[in-house]
Amino acid sequence: MEMAYNKKTKVKKGWLVVAVGLDGDEAPNGDGFRRFPIPISYLHHPLFQRLLESARETYGYKTAGPLRLPCSVEDFLHLRWVIDREQRAGGSHSTLSLHAC
């Protein structure tokens, strides 16, 4: 079950909120992006680093608000599942390729 996170929701220590979406996507907050909390540990994962590089290429370094990730929500949820599974298993990193990320 996904929890809705908005600007007023407090994020627990060690986590951050990212905004996920593609141009033209619909989202409950009206800006085309859905917000998701993620653990800071994701920032070190190679798959997530590729997504961060894509965000840098798309949006640059300066943004107002949460970090925006140019990725479909479906692909982001799959990426999050892969990273969580790997972290639980303590295994090696995947070479997953996401369509819209």
Side-chain angles (χ1 to χ4, degrees):
M1 176 187 338
E2 289 300 321
M3 294 180 66
Y5 282 82
N6 58 42
K7 294 177 184 178
K8 296 177 184 177
T9 303
K10 190 167 185 150
V11 180
K12 61 185 172 181
K13 187 175 181 176
W15 289 64
L16 67 121
V17 173
V18 295
V20 177
L22 298 169
D23 290 334
D25 282 353
E26 294 297 321
N29 62 8
D31 68 2
F33 288 83
R34 283 186 51 197
R35 297 171 188 263
F36 294 94
I38 60 166
I40 290 174
S41 64
Y42 277 25
L43 298 176
H44 301 288
H45 193 282
L47 292 175
F48 199 81
Q49 288 176 352
R50 288 199 330 235
L51 184 54
L52 290 174
E53 179 62 24
S54 178
R56 184 196 61 80
E57 291 171 1
T58 303
Y59 305 117
Y61 286 114
K62 294 184 180 184
T63 62
L67 176 64
R68 287 183 170 221
L69 301 175
C71 184
S72 72
V73 169
E74 181 179 302
D75 279 346
F76 177 77
L77 293 173
H78 184 70
L79 172 76
R80 193 173 68 174
W81 175 81
V82 169
I83 293 173
D84 288 344
R85 185 187 67 192
E86 287 177 4
Q87 288 180 345
R88 279 192 306 272
S92 61
H93 298 303
S94 285
T95 57
L96 175 70
S97 175
L98 299 175
H99 303 86
C101 294

